[in-house]
Structures are given as structure tokens and as C-alpha cells.
Amino acid sequence: MSDLSLDKLLKKAENKLQNVHEMVQEKSYELIRQAYKESIFVVITEGFRSIEQQHKLYSQGRTTPGSIVTNAKGGYSYHNYGLAFDIALLDNNGEVDWTIDRRWNKAGEIGKRIGLEWGGDWKSLKDYPHFQYTFGLSLSELRSGKSSEKQTEKASRVLIKY
């Protein structure tokens, strides 16, 4: 059996969350902690994604081999602005388990309870691993240069509630 300690899960997350907004990092750690209390083992699989990486992901299943995994072109994902992260769930042996079951729904509920938007609620191409915190900014605002930094103070007052 692998070591599924909370500390190990949080430590693993740190590497994946570089270039992710500080508040989004805090919310991801909180998701890991809350899920752990429910015996749901969350690992962060991806945080910030460059626009080039996003283009490459978007082409998958369209112009390159593989399944379609995103509807977002480069610049059209909150990952590109450090405001999103993806997760996977581990089974009791520490292996990634992509089976969509009650644990995924519970992780989604926890994420929403701490103020995140969950891709599992999306109408087209449900994205169970995806969570984002947008500070109320649209993708077009972000593409035009609006910064989430201006929203941080307002959002931190919201975070204090949790």
C-alpha cells in the first residue's frame, strides 16, 4: 500500500501549482484537505498551462491523434491565466482511478462549497477533473489584459468565510 498521507498529497500538489494564482492554490489545498477527511484522495494533475500547450491539447482528436479532451483553444482556458487546476482521484493503493463515481461528485461538491467552479457541472463536454476560480473575470477580459490581481482583495474577503 502506498503512503496516502495528507502531507504527501499536499506536497505533490505544490509542484503542479507553480504559476497558479495564490488564492487558487489555497483553494486547491483546501479541496485536498476536505476530500481527505471523506477518504477521497485527490492529486493535482495540472495547473497553469501555456497558450502553446493549450493549442496542442485542443488539436488532440482534431488534427492530431487521440480523443478530444477540451473545447478550449489557446487563450480560451482559465488554465492559461493560472486560475484553474485539474485533479485525479487515487484508489486505496495510490493508483489513479478515472472511474467516474460518487467520489468525483463528492469532490465536485466540496470544490463548489469552497467557492470553486466545477467542470462536472458543464453542459457540453463535462470535465470532472477541472476546477477554476475566475474572480468574476471572463476569458475575453483576461485575453484583453485584465488582471486577477485587482480582484484578489475582494475575493480574499470571500475566502475568509470558509
Side-chain angles (χ1 to χ4, degrees):
M1 171 130 170
S2 71
D3 182 6
L4 289 172
S5 74
L6 179 58
D7 285 345
K8 275 235 165 87
L9 294 173
L10 292 168
K11 193 75 180 153
K12 275 179 116 160
E14 267 181 54
N15 295 332
K16 296 289 186 177
L17 293 169
Q18 291 175 20
N19 299 318
V20 171
H21 190 285
E22 187 179 326
M23 186 169 295
V24 180
Q25 287 180 14
E26 288 306 315
K27 287 184 176 288
S28 71
Y29 296 140
E30 188 59 24
L31 173 64
I32 293 168
R33 285 188 206 97
Q34 295 289 327
Y36 193 84
K37 290 179 189 172
E38 310 257 353
S39 299
I40 300 169
F41 309 116
V42 171
V43 290
I44 306 297
T45 59
E46 193 161 28
F48 174 81
R49 193 182 300 138
S50 72
I51 289 180
E52 182 183 327
Q53 290 169 309
Q54 188 71 37
H55 283 313
K56 199 174 280 185
L57 202 55
Y58 180 78
S59 68
Q60 187 178 311
R62 292 179 175 87
T63 58
T64 62
S67 306
I68 291 178
V69 293
T70 183
N71 281 333
K73 294 179 179 176
Y76 289 79
S77 169
Y78 283 99
H79 284 282
N80 305 147
Y81 304 95
L83 301 179
F85 60 92
D86 292 334
I87 68 166
L89 301 184
L90 302 179
D91 65 18
N92 290 333
N93 296 319
E95 300 294 320
V96 172
D97 181 359
W98 291 109
T99 310
I100 301 299
D101 59 17
R102 66 151 208 88
R103 296 170 309 145
W104 283 94
N105 290 320
K106 187 66 184 170
E109 286 172 29
I110 293 166
K112 292 189 293 188
R113 189 170 63 228
I114 61 175
L116 293 165
E117 290 175 50
W118 180 43
D121 286 336
W122 294 348
K123 301 295 177 241
S124 74
L125 195 63
K126 286 191 180 297
D127 191 352
Y128 290 90
H130 181 89
F131 290 88
Q132 61 190 33
Y133 189 79
T134 67
F135 295 93
L137 294 169
S138 71
L139 286 163
S140 63
E141 287 174 317
L142 290 165
R143 280 193 308 278
S144 72
K146 269 205 177 169
S147 167
S148 57
E149 298 306 317
K150 295 170 190 152
Q151 302 291 327
T152 302
E153 187 183 326
K154 182 176 92 174
S156 62
R157 289 194 298 268
V158 173
L159 187 64
I160 290 168
K161 290 186 210 169
Y162 299 103

